[in-house]
Amino acid sequence: MSDPSIKSVCVFCGASVGKDPAFRAAAEDLGRRLAENGIRLVFGAGHVGMMGTVADAVLAGGGEAIGVIPQFLRDRELAHEGLTELHVVDSMHTRKRMMFDLSDAFVALPGGLGTLEEVFEMVTWRQLGRHQKPIVLVSTNAYWQPFDKLVDCVVSNDFAHGDTTTYFTTVPDPSAAIDYLLNG
Ligand code: AMP
């Protein structure tokens, strides 16, 4: 049975495309699959990098893409002006809160420090019982392996409960991410 509660997914990913062409291919693949499955994209509204690639693929597939960007980043990150909805907000905190509120789940593709921060925040909010939304890491060419290892290290040193490793799921590709979100 597919899960009808997953209607909007927040995608965290790099504002650049990274070194390995497989990263960009994964962004395209995820965007296409979101559109195919009628799942709305919520993201940081950038026109460039992995962010722009996911959004372009969603829109090309006839899907909906909702961007949320603070005013001060609108020019620096080149906000995508062709989105279904573009919310320009006052701060990073408002952006993150709105992305959280608009989404039923979170998917992270490879990305930089901003992406890491966003993923960790959603994991820690889950740890604090603020939400129960799924968090899925798409580990293209094992990109998220060090993240898994770091969390294992935190748990094995008794700085977090063992349950922490169940708050997110690492999958190899976008197909597995969509399958996890819809079928568990
Ligand atoms: P990056 O992964 O560093 O390429 O950044 C990806 C996205 O995360 C960009 O839209 C950044 O604006 C955003 N970002 C950067 N720093 C933060 C932060 N501290 N909290 C939330 N998002 C951030």
Side-chain angles (χ1 to χ4, degrees):
M1 259 294 271
S2 84
D3 183 349
S5 65
I6 306 291
K7 294 185 168 57
S8 299
V9 166
C10 180
V11 175
F12 300 131
C13 59
S16 39
V17 286
K19 193 172 174 179
D20 185 339
F23 298 151
R24 192 191 185 115
E28 257 169 28
D29 188 25
L30 179 63
R32 193 170 49 242
R33 288 176 189 278
L34 288 172
E36 264 169 25
N37 286 278
I39 299 171
R40 217 172 340 156
L41 168 72
V42 176
F43 78 120
H47 188 41
V48 293
M50 298 283 281
M51 289 201 283
T53 304
V54 179
D56 285 341
V58 166
L59 294 168
E64 292 182 28
I66 317 293
V68 186
I69 196 161
Q71 180 63 47
F72 82 97
L73 281 182
R74 192 177 184 168
D75 297 330
R76 196 196 304 174
E77 289 196 348
L78 300 177
H80 198 305
E81 301 293 337
L83 302 176
T84 316
E85 284 174 32
L86 176 65
H87 298 274
V88 181
V89 297
D90 61 345
S91 68
M92 291 299 273
H93 284 106
T94 310
R95 177 201 230 183
K96 287 200 279 187
R97 182 76 219 185
M98 186 179 266
M99 286 166 72
F100 173 80
D101 287 339
L102 290 173
S103 308
D104 305 309
F106 308 97
V107 172
L109 289 165
L113 299 181
T115 304
L116 290 179
E117 198 274 349
E118 289 167 319
V119 170
F120 264 124
E121 184 163 60
M122 288 309 113
V123 173
T124 54
W125 284 10
R126 179 131 182 204
Q127 185 179 41
L128 295 171
R130 308 320 295 159
H131 73 91
Q132 296 263 309
K133 301 179 187 186
I135 303 165
V136 185
L137 311 183
V138 177
S139 197
T140 311
N141 287 342
Y143 186 77
W144 290 102
Q145 210 171 61
F147 181 95
D148 281 338
K149 282 202 171 131
L150 181 58
V151 174
D152 285 346
C153 172
V154 170
V155 169
S156 67
N157 281 286
D158 289 349
F159 282 114
H161 195 274
D163 285 355
T164 307
T165 55
T166 66
Y167 297 157
F168 61 92
T169 302
T170 307
V171 297
D173 53 43
S175 164
I178 298 288
D179 185 48
Y180 177 80
L181 290 177
L182 296 182
N183 304 312

